[in-house]
């Protein structure tokens, strides 16, 4: 297979997916299994130890085995069949090396599952009868929308089945915004039996009228006139881009990294390093978003079932759509494609899955020597890697920024549609909900949270992939008044606390203490400070999981009860809410990983699990489509370099910039850089 890939972490090609599917089908027939549904076909990443050995000396180290991990289904039987295939040059030489059935779990809901669920609901005679008799809707195919959701806390008699629930909406015309017309009943589908097995009807035989007012965002249907006073703004790089691409390896402004893409995490960034003079210094072994919990706050049935674990339930990679040049991505763009699979085992190609580009990021640094008015200023540029996932109603836009000063930022933008609902029966007389916002007449949008978990496998200056690192918590500490040590009362310092066990390393962000976390390498001392070089991790304070401690939500989403977890590295520990999240009972993932309270200090190869998110109280302004809400965290070098790593960014003057109404003109003089409104003494 050497001709099909150039590095052990390169994602599977279409040919490799075809070869895998053929070998699995052949093996299944020999086992007496005539029919399989392919849930997942993905690269089985080699063990970290093997990757480190290979990357240290690829010329003389054999490449790790090229293996594929598969999750298969054998409907109508529930459960998951896990298989591993070692690839050869074709299906005859590819070998199934592992074949294990997992009882009591449900594989994620694939795009095919979601389309199937909607089709099953629309074709169901009871659903059609309800829509016709109670809502006057006959044209089900074109006027009904069924949003497929995984089922949190399903009715007890249905827990053993493979379930999807659909929240119901109507349309007044094609492309009409269905979320302006919520319908009150909720069907539940058994995907294995391919039929509706339960329908929740909160209003029984007397449902409320469905809201009929159209509230649209589609360019052809929007009720508001389009603005006519917006002029073009172009992003132009006349000499081309500053990055270099070698297969899936990227180099830019001293940064060096490798990209991959899979069904569950979407974009993964490996082997992040920084070229510091003649040395490529490791920063991070692996970075990805590994889970999301989206619990809703309405205690009325059936909304107690409304909580999705979007990474585990659907897969961000599976929900990725092609990006649009000039819309999603501006400037000189490089796209990385992705190859996934459908339920038949055929490859599904996404040509523009990941966008890479450079963009201006304001000022990097500046100082004016006010005595002679000489200005030194450098503009900041950043490398942006991004992808987009449409998870039913919501869009999640993921941006990883690499800066010229060594900063890494992970930004998530939330947009798309609110998942709206009709009021529950006991709310109708009041005309509003205590657990949501009325965004239109008769249309409620429930309070909910978006809680993301990012897995960081740091490698700060450690050729062993971070094995010897130490994670600590740093806080600002006010010192008490003291006639000798603090006579003026102005003194404060910092407290640096090592996190040496898993229980010690379960932490919560605290902005009042300026709390951040530091990842240091005791074996690499800074020449000036004489202390270990480090990176700092800065997380914005925000509410964690709002569910009560004894709830099933907390049991399933334990990762979201802490801002930070640290565990010793294990190849097997990848998913903070467990391998299989659909209809899970909780206790998997980080709750299980940390139960033994293992050491996670130097020698353990510590891994960081970071929780961040938004508690969304919807606004009317979030409807009919939501402006982007931003969640992000940052990592910065902390006494890692010998000074500001961006001090060598060259001085430049953008010749295309101009005063309004004049031709481009910019003179490279001291006066040109003082700026309008500056005064001679440096004070305004």
């Amino acid at each position: 297979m050497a001709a099909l890939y150039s590095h052990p972490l390169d994602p599977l090609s279409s040919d490799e997916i075809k070869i895998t599917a053929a070998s699995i089908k052949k093996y299944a027939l020999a086992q007496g299994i005539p029919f399989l549904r392919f849930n997942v076909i993905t690269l089985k990443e080699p063990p970290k130890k093997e990757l480190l050995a290979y990357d240290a000396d690829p010329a003389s180290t054999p490449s790790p085995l090229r293996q594929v991990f598969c999750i298969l289904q054998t409907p109508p039987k529930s459960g998951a069949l896990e298989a591993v295939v070692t690839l050869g040059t074709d299906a005859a030489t590819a070998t199934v090396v592992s074949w294990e059935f997992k009882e009591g779990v449900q594989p994620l809901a694939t795009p095919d599952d979601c389309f199937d669920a909607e089709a099953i609901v629309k074709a169901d005679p009871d659903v059609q009868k309800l829509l016709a008799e109670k809502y006057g809707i006959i044209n089900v195919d074109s006027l009904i929308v069924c949003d497929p959701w995984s089922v949190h806390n399903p009715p007890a008699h249905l827990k053993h089945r493979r379930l999807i629930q659909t929240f119901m909406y109507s349309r007044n015309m094609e492309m009409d915004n269905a979320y302006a017309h919520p319908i009150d009943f909720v069907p539940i589908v058994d995907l294995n039996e391919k039929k509706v097995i339960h329908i929740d009807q909160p209003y029984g035989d007397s449902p409320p009228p469905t809201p009929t007012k159209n509230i649209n965002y589609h360019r052809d249907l929007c009720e508001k006139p389009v603005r006519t006073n917006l002029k073009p703004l172009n992003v132009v790089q006349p000499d081309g881009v500053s990055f270099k691409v070698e297969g899936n390896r990227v180099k830019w402004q001293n940064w060096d990294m490798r990209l991959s893409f899979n069904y569950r995490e979407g974009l993964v960034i490996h082997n992040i390093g920084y070229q510091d003079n003649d040395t490529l210094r490791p920063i991070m072994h692996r970075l990805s978003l590994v889970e999301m919990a989206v619990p809703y706050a309405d205690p009325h049935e059936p909304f107690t079932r409304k909580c999705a674990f979007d990474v585990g339930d659907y897969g961000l990679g599976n929900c990725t759509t092609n990006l649009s040049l000039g819309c999603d991505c501006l400037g000189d763009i490089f796209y990385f494609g992705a190859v996934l699979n459908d339920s038949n085992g055929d490859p599904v190609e996404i040509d523009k899955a990941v966008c890479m580009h450079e963009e201006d990021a304001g000022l990097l640094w500046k100082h004016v020597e006010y005595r002679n008015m000489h200005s030194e200023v450098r503009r900041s540029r950043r490398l942006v890697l991004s992808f987009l996932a449409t998870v039913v109603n919501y869009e999640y836009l993921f941006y990883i920024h690499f800066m010229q000063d060594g900063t890494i930022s992970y930004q998530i933008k939330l947009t798309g549609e609110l998942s709206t609902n009709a009021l529950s029966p006991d709310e109708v007389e009041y005309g509003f909900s205590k657990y949501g916002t009325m965004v239109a007449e008769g249309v409620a949008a429930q309070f909910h949270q978006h809680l993301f978990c990012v897995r960081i496998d740091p490698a700060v200056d450690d050729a062993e992939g971070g094995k010897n690192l130490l994670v600590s918590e740093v806080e600002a500490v006010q010192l008490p008044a003291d006639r000798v040590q603090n006579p003026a009362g102005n003194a404060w310092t910092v407290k640096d606390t090592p996190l040496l066990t898993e229980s010690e390393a379960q932490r919560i962000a605290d902005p009042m203490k300026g709390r951040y976390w530091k990842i240091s390498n005791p074996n690499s001392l800074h020449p000036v400070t004489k202390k270990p070089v480090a990176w700092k991790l800065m997380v914005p304070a925000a509410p964690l999981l709002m569910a009560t401690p004894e709830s099933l939500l907390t049991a399933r989403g334990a990762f979201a009860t802490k801002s930070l977890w640290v565990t010793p590295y294990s190849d097997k520990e990848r998913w903070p809410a467990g391998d299989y999240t659909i209809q899970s009972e909780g206790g998997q993932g980080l709750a299980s990983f940390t139960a033994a309270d293992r050491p996670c200090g130097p020698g353990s190869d510590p891994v960081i699990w970071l929780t961040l998110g938004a508690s969304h109280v919807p606004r009317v302004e979030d409807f009919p489509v939501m402006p982007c809400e931003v969640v992000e965290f940052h990592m910065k070098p902390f006494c890692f370099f010998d000074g500001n790593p961006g001090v060598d960014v060259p001085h430049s003057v953008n010749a295309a910039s101009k005063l309004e109404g004049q031709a481009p003109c910019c003179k490279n003089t001291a006066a040109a850089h003082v700026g309008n409104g500056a005064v001679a003494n440096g004070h305004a």
Side-chain angles (χ1 to χ4, degrees):
M1 296 298 294
L4 296 181
Y5 68 98
S6 59
H7 188 274
L9 289 172
D10 284 351
L12 297 178
S13 67
S14 292
D15 285 344
E16 288 175 315
I17 287 177
K18 291 176 183 177
I19 289 170
T20 298
S23 64
I24 287 285
K25 290 174 182 177
K26 179 180 178 181
Y27 187 90
L29 281 174
Q31 304 299 310
I33 303 173
F35 175 74
L36 284 173
R37 191 176 177 94
F38 288 84
N39 189 266
V40 169
I41 301 176
T42 193
L43 177 71
K44 185 179 189 295
E45 290 186 14
K48 182 176 179 179
K49 185 176 180 180
E50 293 183 18
L51 280 172
L52 291 171
Y54 176 83
D55 284 329
D57 187 9
S60 58
T61 304
S63 179
L65 286 176
R66 185 76 165 165
Q67 293 190 313
V68 184
F69 175 70
C70 304
I71 300 176
L72 312 165
Q73 298 166 254
T74 56
K77 185 179 181 181
S78 282
L81 183 56
E82 293 184 352
V84 176
V85 175
T86 298
L87 288 176
T89 54
D90 53 37
T93 55
T95 307
V96 176
V97 295
S98 176
W99 188 269
E100 181 181 3
F101 191 80
K102 299 280 187 178
E103 296 277 3
V105 299
Q106 297 293 345
L108 59 72
T110 65
D112 286 351
D113 288 330
C114 293
F115 287 122
D116 287 351
E118 183 163 20
I120 290 165
V121 169
K122 287 184 175 183
D124 183 78
D126 291 335
V127 170
Q128 292 177 350
K129 183 179 179 182
L130 260 176
L131 290 169
E133 294 181 357
K134 305 299 182 184
Y135 305 90
I137 299 174
I138 304 298
N139 190 351
V140 174
D141 282 342
S142 61
L143 297 183
I144 290 297
V145 171
C146 315
D147 271 9
W149 281 61
S150 56
V151 183
H152 166 76
N153 197 17
H157 67 289
L158 302 178
K159 286 186 177 181
H160 63 287
R161 299 183 184 226
R162 180 164 171 77
L163 306 175
I164 287 287
Q165 60 187 338
T166 64
F167 294 103
M168 305 292 290
Y169 305 91
S170 66
R171 283 183 168 142
N172 290 333
M173 67 194 91
E174 187 179 4
M175 300 308 296
D176 180 30
N177 174 23
Y179 297 98
H181 317 295
I183 298 174
D184 70 295
F185 72 88
V186 180
I188 297 180
V189 172
D190 184 317
L191 285 173
N192 285 336
E193 295 188 9
K194 296 189 177 298
K195 66 180 183 180
V196 174
I197 57 172
H198 181 86
I199 301 177
D200 276 291
Q201 297 176 259
Y203 286 88
D205 292 331
S206 303
T210 300
T212 58
K213 182 181 178 181
N214 295 336
I215 308 174
N216 282 295
Y217 59 89
H218 191 285
R219 72 193 72 163
D220 296 332
L221 300 176
C222 183
E223 290 79 17
K224 293 185 70 173
V226 176
R227 301 180 190 189
T228 58
N229 59 351
L230 194 63
K231 296 182 179 180
L233 191 160
N234 295 321
V235 179
V236 179
Q237 291 181 268
D239 297 328
V241 299
S242 303
F243 53 75
K244 183 178 181 181
V245 180
E246 301 170 353
N248 289 302
R249 186 178 182 180
V250 174
K251 298 178 181 180
W252 178 83
Q253 291 292 289
N254 298 323
W255 288 105
D256 193 308
M257 68 202 75
R258 182 170 294 280
L259 312 185
S260 72
F261 193 94
N262 66 60
Y263 75 102
R264 190 157 175 166
E265 298 157 290
L267 175 63
V268 181
I269 307 182
H270 309 262
N271 298 352
I272 301 172
Y274 193 94
Q275 189 71 40
D276 190 7
N277 296 316
D278 296 330
T279 304
L280 180 59
R281 302 176 70 182
I283 307 296
M284 206 176 300
H285 180 71
R286 195 179 192 276
L287 171 69
S288 68
L289 193 138
V290 287
E291 195 51 85
M292 289 169 53
V294 189
Y296 280 68
D298 194 332
H300 295 93
E301 298 291 348
F303 303 120
T304 57
R305 299 199 305 259
K306 197 173 183 181
C307 173
F309 287 74
D310 287 344
V311 176
D313 288 358
Y314 304 100
L316 293 182
N318 283 344
C319 297
T320 294
T321 54
N322 266 313
L323 297 165
S324 299
L325 183 64
C327 297
D328 297 309
C329 312
L330 301 182
D332 280 19
I333 305 301
F334 186 94
Y335 288 111
F336 292 90
V339 186
L340 304 169
N341 66 280
D342 64 16
S343 58
N344 293 319
D346 295 324
V348 175
E349 297 185 1
I350 306 171
D351 295 332
K352 300 174 182 177
V354 175
C355 168
M356 181 170 68
H357 70 285
E358 299 170 277
E359 63 184 22
D360 182 86
L363 291 188
L364 178 64
W365 56 264
K366 174 171 181 163
H367 181 63
V368 177
E369 175 50 75
Y370 71 89
R371 295 169 183 84
N372 60 17
M373 301 310 296
H374 176 78
S375 172
E376 286 290 341
V377 59
R378 303 294 186 272
R379 289 203 68 80
S380 178
R381 192 181 299 187
R382 63 190 179 195
L383 182 72
V384 184
L385 295 162
S386 63
F387 73 105
L388 180 153
T390 297
V391 189
V392 190
N393 57 297
Y394 257 103
E395 266 73 28
Y396 298 98
L397 289 65
F398 302 94
Y399 300 88
I400 300 92
H401 299 147
F402 292 87
M403 311 293 291
Q404 291 168 308
D405 66 352
T407 299
I408 302 171
S409 296
Y410 199 118
Q411 183 184 82
I412 306 165
K413 291 185 177 181
L414 292 70
T415 182
E417 291 264 20
L418 297 168
S419 178
T420 57
N421 60 285
L423 290 173
S424 294
D426 66 345
E427 297 174 325
V428 171
E429 63 177 296
Y430 305 106
F432 68 91
S433 172
K434 292 192 296 182
Y435 311 102
T437 301
M438 302 305 297
V439 294
E441 189 68 33
V443 182
Q446 296 149 332
F447 305 150
H448 57 282
Q449 293 184 282
H450 302 263
L451 298 162
F452 304 91
C453 184
V454 177
R455 182 179 179 273
I456 302 169
D457 186 358
V460 177
D461 243 7
D462 189 343
E464 294 185 82
K467 179 181 178 181
N468 300 301
L469 302 183
L470 171 67
V471 182
S472 61
E473 181 171 274
V474 183
E475 298 176 340
V477 178
Q478 181 188 64
L479 295 180
D482 183 276
R483 284 186 297 177
V484 177
Q485 299 295 330
N486 191 16
N490 65 308
W492 63 277
T493 187
V494 292
K495 179 183 178 183
D496 192 326
T497 305
L499 306 176
L500 299 176
T501 67
E502 289 176 307
S503 61
E504 293 175 355
Q506 297 176 24
R507 311 303 299 166
I508 295 175
D510 188 345
M512 299 311 296
K513 294 182 179 179
R515 181 174 290 172
Y516 63 89
W517 293 286
K518 190 168 68 173
I519 309 158
S520 57
N521 186 340
N523 296 331
S524 179
L525 300 183
H526 194 277
V528 175
T529 68
K530 311 304 181 186
K531 295 180 180 180
V533 298
W535 282 64
K536 64 185 291 188
L537 178 60
M538 297 171 292
V539 184
L544 294 167
L545 185 64
M546 298 289 286
T548 58
E550 70 281 358
S551 68
L552 180 61
L553 279 172
T554 299
R556 298 182 68 210
F559 75 87
T561 63
K562 306 293 181 186
S563 305
L564 180 108
W565 306 68
V566 184
T567 62
Y569 180 85
S570 169
D571 286 324
K572 296 180 179 180
E573 295 179 0
R574 292 183 61 185
W575 313 117
D579 293 353
Y580 296 93
T581 57
I582 284 190
Q583 295 163 229
S584 67
E585 295 293 330
Q588 295 85 35
L590 278 169
S592 174
F593 301 163
T594 60
D597 195 19
R598 298 168 295 184
C600 57
S604 72
D605 195 357
V607 173
I608 295 170
W609 312 74
L610 184 69
T611 303
L612 67 159
S615 296
H616 192 181
V617 177
R619 310 168 298 153
V620 174
E621 291 84 355
D622 291 331
F623 199 68
V625 66
M626 191 174 98
C628 286
E629 188 82 12
V630 178
V631 175
E632 62 185 335
F633 73 92
H634 308 278
M635 289 186 67
K636 288 179 175 284
F638 190 95
C639 303
F640 183 83
F641 296 108
D642 60 5
N644 178 355
V647 75
D648 61 349
V649 172
H651 174 264
S652 64
V653 176
N654 180 250
S657 296
K658 65 185 182 70
L659 291 174
E660 173 56 29
Q662 298 183 16
C665 178
C666 196
K667 294 181 179 179
N668 189 3
T669 66
H673 301 299
V674 174
N676 295 333
V679 292
N681 66 358
H683 300 281

